Amino acid sequence: MTVTLPVAMLAELFPNGISHYAIGGLFVGLGVAVIYLGTGIAAGASTFLESTLSYGSSLSRFQRYRPSRDWRVVFTLGIVAGAAVYALAFQDGLWTTDVQWWRLLLGGVLIGIGTRVGKGCTSGHGVCGVGSVSSASFVGVMTFLLIAIGTAQLVQAAGVSP
């Protein structure tokens, strides 16, 4: 009875199974390991915007990324390309959401601002920071998730839907 209870709970929480999460996690882990071994820098996606702005701005805030900006652009293009290849191979095309474009754009802008204010994102802190047992990353990820879950619950309670 005690063995079937967790299995039943998992089946209810993940009706489509968990294997795709495990395979996705394997690819993410391999990707950050390749980036780290190749550059010695933890791969976080939130720094992409600031490093990209270093191409057009002379502000010192953006210029500190000059040495690493080229590989960060390639890294981010790789994320987009990987998602596109997966969508074309295993889904019904590239655009697989009913969410309006302006909501996606606004959400992306808010996330971009939040990752800079929060000094990182869940890709850098969650995968690389927690993976390297950084106490600051543990605190950061817990804070990001608690606030994000609370915000999502409030938005849902307010009746906002895609």
Side-chain angles (χ1 to χ4, degrees):
M1 179 73 174
T2 59
V3 172
T4 58
L5 183 60
V7 171
M9 286 175 53
L10 281 176
E12 187 176 324
L13 290 172
F14 303 101
N16 297 323
I18 62 170
S19 61
H20 58 285
Y21 298 114
I23 294 168
L26 177 66
F27 278 109
V28 169
L30 287 171
V32 298
V34 166
I35 295 292
Y36 186 76
L37 292 172
T39 66
I41 299 172
S46 68
T47 313
F48 169 73
L49 176 61
E50 283 189 294
S51 64
T52 302
L53 290 174
S54 73
Y55 286 105
S57 173
S58 60
L59 292 174
S60 63
R61 164 191 184 126
F62 303 125
Q63 292 307 307
R64 67 183 175 173
Y65 295 107
R66 284 187 70 118
S68 65
R69 68 183 182 184
D70 293 338
W71 77 258
R72 289 180 193 278
V73 170
V74 173
F75 169 68
T76 304
L77 290 173
I79 292 173
V80 173
V85 167
Y86 181 85
L88 289 172
F90 299 107
Q91 295 176 338
D92 295 330
L94 288 175
W95 198 256
T96 60
T97 182
D98 293 329
V99 179
Q100 296 96 343
W101 69 267
W102 65 268
R103 288 185 181 195
L104 295 171
L105 179 65
L106 177 61
V109 167
L110 293 172
I111 289 169
I113 292 168
T115 59
R116 294 294 72 205
V117 170
K119 304 292 185 209
C121 64
T122 51
S123 64
H125 284 295
V127 176
C128 300
V130 170
S132 63
V133 196
S134 163
S135 59
S137 289
F138 277 109
V139 171
V141 169
M142 285 190 315
T143 304
F144 299 156
L145 291 177
L146 288 173
I147 298 298
I149 291 167
T151 302
Q153 294 298 311
L154 288 173
V155 168
Q156 183 181 20
V160 178
S161 66

PDB file of all heavy atoms in Angstrom, residues 76-110:
ATOM      1  N   THR A  76      22.583  31.558 -26.692  1.00  0.00           N
ATOM      2  CA  THR A  76      21.160  31.884 -26.720  1.00  0.00           C
ATOM      3  C   THR A  76      20.531  31.469 -28.044  1.00  0.00           C
ATOM      4  O   THR A  76      19.407  30.946 -28.069  1.00  0.00           O
ATOM      5  CB  THR A  76      20.953  33.380 -26.458  1.00  0.00           C
ATOM      6  OG1 THR A  76      21.575  33.696 -25.208  1.00  0.00           O
ATOM      7  CG2 THR A  76      19.484  33.729 -26.394  1.00  0.00           C
ATOM      8  N   LEU A  77      21.222  31.680 -29.144  1.00  0.00           N
ATOM      9  CA  LEU A  77      20.714  31.211 -30.438  1.00  0.00           C
ATOM     10  C   LEU A  77      20.567  29.685 -30.437  1.00  0.00           C
ATOM     11  O   LEU A  77      19.638  29.145 -31.034  1.00  0.00           O
ATOM     12  CB  LEU A  77      21.626  31.673 -31.571  1.00  0.00           C
ATOM     13  CG  LEU A  77      21.606  33.173 -31.859  1.00  0.00           C
ATOM     14  CD1 LEU A  77      22.678  33.533 -32.894  1.00  0.00           C
ATOM     15  CD2 LEU A  77      20.238  33.634 -32.305  1.00  0.00           C
ATOM     16  N   GLY A  78      21.476  29.018 -29.745  1.00  0.00           N
ATOM     17  CA  GLY A  78      21.377  27.564 -29.622  1.00  0.00           C
ATOM     18  C   GLY A  78      20.139  27.129 -28.849  1.00  0.00           C
ATOM     19  O   GLY A  78      19.504  26.128 -29.193  1.00  0.00           O
ATOM     20  N   ILE A  79      19.784  27.885 -27.808  1.00  0.00           N
ATOM     21  CA  ILE A  79      18.562  27.574 -27.052  1.00  0.00           C
ATOM     22  C   ILE A  79      17.345  27.688 -27.973  1.00  0.00           C
ATOM     23  O   ILE A  79      16.485  26.798 -28.014  1.00  0.00           O
ATOM     24  CB  ILE A  79      18.420  28.513 -25.837  1.00  0.00           C
ATOM     25  CG1 ILE A  79      19.496  28.219 -24.802  1.00  0.00           C
ATOM     26  CG2 ILE A  79      17.022  28.385 -25.213  1.00  0.00           C
ATOM     27  CD1 ILE A  79      19.536  29.225 -23.647  1.00  0.00           C
ATOM     28  N   VAL A  80      17.282  28.781 -28.722  1.00  0.00           N
ATOM     29  CA  VAL A  80      16.157  29.004 -29.643  1.00  0.00           C
ATOM     30  C   VAL A  80      16.144  27.930 -30.730  1.00  0.00           C
ATOM     31  O   VAL A  80      15.095  27.356 -31.042  1.00  0.00           O
ATOM     32  CB  VAL A  80      16.216  30.423 -30.245  1.00  0.00           C
ATOM     33  CG1 VAL A  80      15.154  30.610 -31.317  1.00  0.00           C
ATOM     34  CG2 VAL A  80      16.062  31.472 -29.142  1.00  0.00           C
ATOM     35  N   ALA A  81      17.298  27.622 -31.296  1.00  0.00           N
ATOM     36  CA  ALA A  81      17.381  26.615 -32.358  1.00  0.00           C
ATOM     37  C   ALA A  81      16.989  25.233 -31.827  1.00  0.00           C
ATOM     38  O   ALA A  81      16.276  24.479 -32.500  1.00  0.00           O
ATOM     39  CB  ALA A  81      18.780  26.572 -32.953  1.00  0.00           C
ATOM     40  N   GLY A  82      17.449  24.898 -30.628  1.00  0.00           N
ATOM     41  CA  GLY A  82      17.093  23.605 -30.048  1.00  0.00           C
ATOM     42  C   GLY A  82      15.599  23.474 -29.834  1.00  0.00           C
ATOM     43  O   GLY A  82      14.996  22.429 -30.131  1.00  0.00           O
ATOM     44  N   ALA A  83      14.977  24.532 -29.340  1.00  0.00           N
ATOM     45  CA  ALA A  83      13.521  24.508 -29.140  1.00  0.00           C
ATOM     46  C   ALA A  83      12.796  24.394 -30.480  1.00  0.00           C
ATOM     47  O   ALA A  83      11.805  23.666 -30.608  1.00  0.00           O
ATOM     48  CB  ALA A  83      13.071  25.762 -28.394  1.00  0.00           C
ATOM     49  N   ALA A  84      13.302  25.097 -31.502  1.00  0.00           N
ATOM     50  CA  ALA A  84      12.675  25.042 -32.830  1.00  0.00           C
ATOM     51  C   ALA A  84      12.793  23.653 -33.444  1.00  0.00           C
ATOM     52  O   ALA A  84      11.820  23.123 -33.991  1.00  0.00           O
ATOM     53  CB  ALA A  84      13.309  26.088 -33.752  1.00  0.00           C
ATOM     54  N   VAL A  85      13.957  23.056 -33.345  1.00  0.00           N
ATOM     55  CA  VAL A  85      14.153  21.706 -33.882  1.00  0.00           C
ATOM     56  C   VAL A  85      13.212  20.722 -33.184  1.00  0.00           C
ATOM     57  O   VAL A  85      12.552  19.907 -33.837  1.00  0.00           O
ATOM     58  CB  VAL A  85      15.628  21.259 -33.736  1.00  0.00           C
ATOM     59  CG1 VAL A  85      15.791  19.766 -33.983  1.00  0.00           C
ATOM     60  CG2 VAL A  85      16.509  22.063 -34.674  1.00  0.00           C
ATOM     61  N   TYR A  86      13.125  20.819 -31.863  1.00  0.00           N
ATOM     62  CA  TYR A  86      12.228  19.930 -31.125  1.00  0.00           C
ATOM     63  C   TYR A  86      10.779  20.143 -31.551  1.00  0.00           C
ATOM     64  O   TYR A  86      10.044  19.179 -31.787  1.00  0.00           O
ATOM     65  CB  TYR A  86      12.364  20.143 -29.612  1.00  0.00           C
ATOM     66  CG  TYR A  86      11.473  19.215 -28.830  1.00  0.00           C
ATOM     67  CD1 TYR A  86      11.888  17.935 -28.514  1.00  0.00           C
ATOM     68  CD2 TYR A  86      10.192  19.606 -28.451  1.00  0.00           C
ATOM     69  CE1 TYR A  86      11.065  17.063 -27.834  1.00  0.00           C
ATOM     70  CE2 TYR A  86       9.355  18.744 -27.769  1.00  0.00           C
ATOM     71  CZ  TYR A  86       9.793  17.469 -27.458  1.00  0.00           C
ATOM     72  OH  TYR A  86       8.966  16.605 -26.800  1.00  0.00           O
ATOM     73  N   ALA A  87      10.362  21.411 -31.648  1.00  0.00           N
ATOM     74  CA  ALA A  87       8.975  21.714 -32.020  1.00  0.00           C
ATOM     75  C   ALA A  87       8.648  21.182 -33.408  1.00  0.00           C
ATOM     76  O   ALA A  87       7.564  20.622 -33.622  1.00  0.00           O
ATOM     77  CB  ALA A  87       8.730  23.220 -31.952  1.00  0.00           C
ATOM     78  N   LEU A  88       9.560  21.354 -34.349  1.00  0.00           N
ATOM     79  CA  LEU A  88       9.315  20.867 -35.708  1.00  0.00           C
ATOM     80  C   LEU A  88       9.314  19.344 -35.787  1.00  0.00           C
ATOM     81  O   LEU A  88       8.547  18.754 -36.542  1.00  0.00           O
ATOM     82  CB  LEU A  88      10.354  21.444 -36.665  1.00  0.00           C
ATOM     83  CG  LEU A  88      10.220  22.942 -36.957  1.00  0.00           C
ATOM     84  CD1 LEU A  88      11.414  23.439 -37.761  1.00  0.00           C
ATOM     85  CD2 LEU A  88       8.917  23.238 -37.686  1.00  0.00           C
ATOM     86  N   ALA A  89      10.168  18.708 -34.998  1.00  0.00           N
ATOM     87  CA  ALA A  89      10.282  17.250 -35.055  1.00  0.00           C
ATOM     88  C   ALA A  89       9.187  16.529 -34.273  1.00  0.00           C
ATOM     89  O   ALA A  89       8.731  15.465 -34.691  1.00  0.00           O
ATOM     90  CB  ALA A  89      11.657  16.819 -34.537  1.00  0.00           C
ATOM     91  N   PHE A  90       8.768  17.101 -33.138  1.00  0.00           N
ATOM     92  CA  PHE A  90       7.883  16.348 -32.251  1.00  0.00           C
ATOM     93  C   PHE A  90       6.550  17.023 -31.945  1.00  0.00           C
ATOM     94  O   PHE A  90       5.737  16.476 -31.216  1.00  0.00           O
ATOM     95  CB  PHE A  90       8.600  16.073 -30.918  1.00  0.00           C
ATOM     96  CG  PHE A  90       9.850  15.257 -31.082  1.00  0.00           C
ATOM     97  CD1 PHE A  90      11.094  15.846 -30.948  1.00  0.00           C
ATOM     98  CD2 PHE A  90       9.795  13.910 -31.405  1.00  0.00           C
ATOM     99  CE1 PHE A  90      12.255  15.108 -31.099  1.00  0.00           C
ATOM    100  CE2 PHE A  90      10.941  13.161 -31.564  1.00  0.00           C
ATOM    101  CZ  PHE A  90      12.177  13.759 -31.409  1.00  0.00           C
ATOM    102  N   GLN A  91       6.326  18.229 -32.471  1.00  0.00           N
ATOM    103  CA  GLN A  91       5.058  18.915 -32.217  1.00  0.00           C
ATOM    104  C   GLN A  91       4.429  19.334 -33.536  1.00  0.00           C
ATOM    105  O   GLN A  91       4.912  18.984 -34.601  1.00  0.00           O
ATOM    106  CB  GLN A  91       5.298  20.121 -31.307  1.00  0.00           C
ATOM    107  CG  GLN A  91       5.785  19.717 -29.929  1.00  0.00           C
ATOM    108  CD  GLN A  91       6.127  20.920 -29.050  1.00  0.00           C
ATOM    109  OE1 GLN A  91       6.395  22.004 -29.537  1.00  0.00           O
ATOM    110  NE2 GLN A  91       6.138  20.709 -27.751  1.00  0.00           N
ATOM    111  N   ASP A  92       3.363  20.107 -33.443  1.00  0.00           N
ATOM    112  CA  ASP A  92       2.626  20.510 -34.640  1.00  0.00           C
ATOM    113  C   ASP A  92       3.128  21.816 -35.248  1.00  0.00           C
ATOM    114  O   ASP A  92       2.374  22.540 -35.870  1.00  0.00           O
ATOM    115  CB  ASP A  92       1.138  20.656 -34.311  1.00  0.00           C
ATOM    116  CG  ASP A  92       0.504  19.332 -33.924  1.00  0.00           C
ATOM    117  OD1 ASP A  92       0.967  18.286 -34.412  1.00  0.00           O
ATOM    118  OD2 ASP A  92      -0.449  19.347 -33.122  1.00  0.00           O
ATOM    119  N   GLY A  93       4.366  22.147 -35.059  1.00  0.00           N
ATOM    120  CA  GLY A  93       4.915  23.378 -35.615  1.00  0.00           C
ATOM    121  C   GLY A  93       5.602  24.210 -34.565  1.00  0.00           C
ATOM    122  O   GLY A  93       5.691  23.836 -33.399  1.00  0.00           O
ATOM    123  N   LEU A  94       6.108  25.378 -35.000  1.00  0.00           N
ATOM    124  CA  LEU A  94       6.872  26.234 -34.095  1.00  0.00           C
ATOM    125  C   LEU A  94       6.003  26.940 -33.062  1.00  0.00           C
ATOM    126  O   LEU A  94       6.398  27.098 -31.925  1.00  0.00           O
ATOM    127  CB  LEU A  94       7.646  27.286 -34.903  1.00  0.00           C
ATOM    128  CG  LEU A  94       8.822  26.778 -35.704  1.00  0.00           C
ATOM    129  CD1 LEU A  94       9.419  27.899 -36.539  1.00  0.00           C
ATOM    130  CD2 LEU A  94       9.886  26.187 -34.794  1.00  0.00           C
ATOM    131  N   TRP A  95       4.842  27.428 -33.443  1.00  0.00           N
ATOM    132  CA  TRP A  95       3.995  28.196 -32.535  1.00  0.00           C
ATOM    133  C   TRP A  95       2.998  27.245 -31.896  1.00  0.00           C
ATOM    134  O   TRP A  95       2.048  26.812 -32.524  1.00  0.00           O
ATOM    135  CB  TRP A  95       3.264  29.295 -33.310  1.00  0.00           C
ATOM    136  CG  TRP A  95       2.727  30.352 -32.417  1.00  0.00           C
ATOM    137  CD1 TRP A  95       1.424  30.511 -32.062  1.00  0.00           C
ATOM    138  CD2 TRP A  95       3.447  31.377 -31.752  1.00  0.00           C
ATOM    139  NE1 TRP A  95       1.301  31.590 -31.214  1.00  0.00           N
ATOM    140  CE2 TRP A  95       2.527  32.138 -31.006  1.00  0.00           C
ATOM    141  CE3 TRP A  95       4.792  31.729 -31.689  1.00  0.00           C
ATOM    142  CZ2 TRP A  95       2.900  33.232 -30.236  1.00  0.00           C
ATOM    143  CZ3 TRP A  95       5.159  32.817 -30.927  1.00  0.00           C
ATOM    144  CH2 TRP A  95       4.222  33.547 -30.210  1.00  0.00           C
ATOM    145  N   THR A  96       3.231  26.900 -30.650  1.00  0.00           N
ATOM    146  CA  THR A  96       2.414  25.876 -29.988  1.00  0.00           C
ATOM    147  C   THR A  96       1.675  26.423 -28.776  1.00  0.00           C
ATOM    148  O   THR A  96       1.457  25.718 -27.807  1.00  0.00           O
ATOM    149  CB  THR A  96       3.292  24.690 -29.561  1.00  0.00           C
ATOM    150  OG1 THR A  96       4.292  25.176 -28.658  1.00  0.00           O
ATOM    151  CG2 THR A  96       3.937  24.009 -30.747  1.00  0.00           C
ATOM    152  N   THR A  97       1.276  27.693 -28.821  1.00  0.00           N
ATOM    153  CA  THR A  97       0.576  28.284 -27.690  1.00  0.00           C
ATOM    154  C   THR A  97      -0.616  29.095 -28.180  1.00  0.00           C
ATOM    155  O   THR A  97      -0.625  29.587 -29.316  1.00  0.00           O
ATOM    156  CB  THR A  97       1.511  29.189 -26.853  1.00  0.00           C
ATOM    157  OG1 THR A  97       0.786  29.698 -25.741  1.00  0.00           O
ATOM    158  CG2 THR A  97       2.057  30.339 -27.671  1.00  0.00           C
ATOM    159  N   ASP A  98      -1.612  29.216 -27.323  1.00  0.00           N
ATOM    160  CA  ASP A  98      -2.766  30.057 -27.614  1.00  0.00           C
ATOM    161  C   ASP A  98      -2.642  31.419 -26.929  1.00  0.00           C
ATOM    162  O   ASP A  98      -3.538  32.244 -27.039  1.00  0.00           O
ATOM    163  CB  ASP A  98      -4.055  29.374 -27.141  1.00  0.00           C
ATOM    164  CG  ASP A  98      -4.352  28.120 -27.941  1.00  0.00           C
ATOM    165  OD1 ASP A  98      -3.995  28.078 -29.130  1.00  0.00           O
ATOM    166  OD2 ASP A  98      -4.938  27.175 -27.373  1.00  0.00           O
ATOM    167  N   VAL A  99      -1.532  31.634 -26.227  1.00  0.00           N
ATOM    168  CA  VAL A  99      -1.313  32.893 -25.517  1.00  0.00           C
ATOM    169  C   VAL A  99      -0.999  33.987 -26.545  1.00  0.00           C
ATOM    170  O   VAL A  99      -0.203  33.778 -27.459  1.00  0.00           O
ATOM    171  CB  VAL A  99      -0.160  32.764 -24.494  1.00  0.00           C
ATOM    172  CG1 VAL A  99       0.085  34.081 -23.778  1.00  0.00           C
ATOM    173  CG2 VAL A  99      -0.461  31.661 -23.498  1.00  0.00           C
ATOM    174  N   GLN A 100      -1.631  35.149 -26.363  1.00  0.00           N
ATOM    175  CA  GLN A 100      -1.412  36.247 -27.302  1.00  0.00           C
ATOM    176  C   GLN A 100       0.041  36.706 -27.274  1.00  0.00           C
ATOM    177  O   GLN A 100       0.681  36.696 -26.243  1.00  0.00           O
ATOM    178  CB  GLN A 100      -2.314  37.444 -26.954  1.00  0.00           C
ATOM    179  CG  GLN A 100      -3.785  37.155 -27.098  1.00  0.00           C
ATOM    180  CD  GLN A 100      -4.424  36.759 -25.770  1.00  0.00           C
ATOM    181  OE1 GLN A 100      -3.751  36.405 -24.810  1.00  0.00           O
ATOM    182  NE2 GLN A 100      -5.735  36.802 -25.719  1.00  0.00           N
ATOM    183  N   TRP A 101       0.537  37.163 -28.428  1.00  0.00           N
ATOM    184  CA  TRP A 101       1.935  37.567 -28.562  1.00  0.00           C
ATOM    185  C   TRP A 101       2.287  38.684 -27.597  1.00  0.00           C
ATOM    186  O   TRP A 101       3.381  38.700 -27.050  1.00  0.00           O
ATOM    187  CB  TRP A 101       2.241  37.978 -30.002  1.00  0.00           C
ATOM    188  CG  TRP A 101       1.560  39.257 -30.417  1.00  0.00           C
ATOM    189  CD1 TRP A 101       0.355  39.378 -31.037  1.00  0.00           C
ATOM    190  CD2 TRP A 101       2.038  40.584 -30.207  1.00  0.00           C
ATOM    191  NE1 TRP A 101       0.053  40.700 -31.220  1.00  0.00           N
ATOM    192  CE2 TRP A 101       1.067  41.473 -30.727  1.00  0.00           C
ATOM    193  CE3 TRP A 101       3.196  41.123 -29.639  1.00  0.00           C
ATOM    194  CZ2 TRP A 101       1.215  42.849 -30.677  1.00  0.00           C
ATOM    195  CZ3 TRP A 101       3.333  42.497 -29.594  1.00  0.00           C
ATOM    196  CH2 TRP A 101       2.359  43.345 -30.113  1.00  0.00           C
ATOM    197  N   TRP A 102       1.386  39.619 -27.362  1.00  0.00           N
ATOM    198  CA  TRP A 102       1.702  40.760 -26.501  1.00  0.00           C
ATOM    199  C   TRP A 102       1.869  40.326 -25.053  1.00  0.00           C
ATOM    200  O   TRP A 102       2.668  40.909 -24.318  1.00  0.00           O
ATOM    201  CB  TRP A 102       0.659  41.872 -26.637  1.00  0.00           C
ATOM    202  CG  TRP A 102      -0.727  41.502 -26.159  1.00  0.00           C
ATOM    203  CD1 TRP A 102      -1.748  40.984 -26.913  1.00  0.00           C
ATOM    204  CD2 TRP A 102      -1.224  41.621 -24.830  1.00  0.00           C
ATOM    205  NE1 TRP A 102      -2.844  40.763 -26.128  1.00  0.00           N
ATOM    206  CE2 TRP A 102      -2.557  41.152 -24.835  1.00  0.00           C
ATOM    207  CE3 TRP A 102      -0.678  42.073 -23.624  1.00  0.00           C
ATOM    208  CZ2 TRP A 102      -3.345  41.118 -23.701  1.00  0.00           C
ATOM    209  CZ3 TRP A 102      -1.482  42.038 -22.498  1.00  0.00           C
ATOM    210  CH2 TRP A 102      -2.796  41.575 -22.536  1.00  0.00           C
ATOM    211  N   ARG A 103       1.150  39.280 -24.628  1.00  0.00           N
ATOM    212  CA  ARG A 103       1.325  38.765 -23.270  1.00  0.00           C
ATOM    213  C   ARG A 103       2.680  38.077 -23.132  1.00  0.00           C
ATOM    214  O   ARG A 103       3.337  38.182 -22.103  1.00  0.00           O
ATOM    215  CB  ARG A 103       0.199  37.808 -22.902  1.00  0.00           C
ATOM    216  CG  ARG A 103      -1.118  38.502 -22.678  1.00  0.00           C
ATOM    217  CD  ARG A 103      -2.168  37.550 -22.194  1.00  0.00           C
ATOM    218  NE  ARG A 103      -3.427  38.250 -22.009  1.00  0.00           N
ATOM    219  CZ  ARG A 103      -4.437  37.763 -21.331  1.00  0.00           C
ATOM    220  NH1 ARG A 103      -4.353  36.564 -20.776  1.00  0.00           N
ATOM    221  NH2 ARG A 103      -5.549  38.452 -21.213  1.00  0.00           N
ATOM    222  N   LEU A 104       3.078  37.360 -24.165  1.00  0.00           N
ATOM    223  CA  LEU A 104       4.394  36.725 -24.145  1.00  0.00           C
ATOM    224  C   LEU A 104       5.496  37.776 -24.113  1.00  0.00           C
ATOM    225  O   LEU A 104       6.468  37.646 -23.358  1.00  0.00           O
ATOM    226  CB  LEU A 104       4.565  35.818 -25.369  1.00  0.00           C
ATOM    227  CG  LEU A 104       3.630  34.610 -25.437  1.00  0.00           C
ATOM    228  CD1 LEU A 104       3.760  33.931 -26.790  1.00  0.00           C
ATOM    229  CD2 LEU A 104       3.911  33.647 -24.314  1.00  0.00           C
ATOM    230  N   LEU A 105       5.341  38.830 -24.926  1.00  0.00           N
ATOM    231  CA  LEU A 105       6.330  39.906 -24.951  1.00  0.00           C
ATOM    232  C   LEU A 105       6.403  40.615 -23.603  1.00  0.00           C
ATOM    233  O   LEU A 105       7.498  40.802 -23.047  1.00  0.00           O
ATOM    234  CB  LEU A 105       6.000  40.912 -26.056  1.00  0.00           C
ATOM    235  CG  LEU A 105       6.956  42.099 -26.181  1.00  0.00           C
ATOM    236  CD1 LEU A 105       8.342  41.632 -26.589  1.00  0.00           C
ATOM    237  CD2 LEU A 105       6.414  43.107 -27.179  1.00  0.00           C
ATOM    238  N   LEU A 106       5.256  40.978 -23.045  1.00  0.00           N
ATOM    239  CA  LEU A 106       5.220  41.649 -21.746  1.00  0.00           C
ATOM    240  C   LEU A 106       5.804  40.747 -20.656  1.00  0.00           C
ATOM    241  O   LEU A 106       6.602  41.191 -19.827  1.00  0.00           O
ATOM    242  CB  LEU A 106       3.791  42.059 -21.387  1.00  0.00           C
ATOM    243  CG  LEU A 106       3.604  42.722 -20.019  1.00  0.00           C
ATOM    244  CD1 LEU A 106       4.394  44.012 -19.923  1.00  0.00           C
ATOM    245  CD2 LEU A 106       2.120  42.977 -19.761  1.00  0.00           C
ATOM    246  N   GLY A 107       5.450  39.471 -20.682  1.00  0.00           N
ATOM    247  CA  GLY A 107       6.004  38.532 -19.709  1.00  0.00           C
ATOM    248  C   GLY A 107       7.513  38.420 -19.833  1.00  0.00           C
ATOM    249  O   GLY A 107       8.234  38.398 -18.834  1.00  0.00           O
ATOM    250  N   GLY A 108       8.004  38.382 -21.071  1.00  0.00           N
ATOM    251  CA  GLY A 108       9.448  38.317 -21.284  1.00  0.00           C
ATOM    252  C   GLY A 108      10.165  39.551 -20.771  1.00  0.00           C
ATOM    253  O   GLY A 108      11.236  39.452 -20.150  1.00  0.00           O
ATOM    254  N   VAL A 109       9.570  40.721 -21.002  1.00  0.00           N
ATOM    255  CA  VAL A 109      10.173  41.962 -20.511  1.00  0.00           C
ATOM    256  C   VAL A 109      10.211  41.957 -18.980  1.00  0.00           C
ATOM    257  O   VAL A 109      11.233  42.281 -18.365  1.00  0.00           O
ATOM    258  CB  VAL A 109       9.410  43.197 -21.043  1.00  0.00           C
ATOM    259  CG1 VAL A 109       9.814  44.466 -20.306  1.00  0.00           C
ATOM    260  CG2 VAL A 109       9.635  43.351 -22.539  1.00  0.00           C
ATOM    261  N   LEU A 110       9.099  41.571 -18.352  1.00  0.00           N
ATOM    262  CA  LEU A 110       9.058  41.524 -16.885  1.00  0.00           C
ATOM    263  C   LEU A 110      10.061  40.518 -16.321  1.00  0.00           C
ATOM    264  O   LEU A 110      10.742  40.787 -15.332  1.00  0.00           O
ATOM    265  CB  LEU A 110       7.646  41.213 -16.398  1.00  0.00           C
ATOM    266  CG  LEU A 110       6.604  42.306 -16.662  1.00  0.00           C
ATOM    267  CD1 LEU A 110       5.206  41.809 -16.317  1.00  0.00           C
ATOM    268  CD2 LEU A 110       6.947  43.571 -15.901  1.00  0.00           C
TER     269      LEU A 110
END
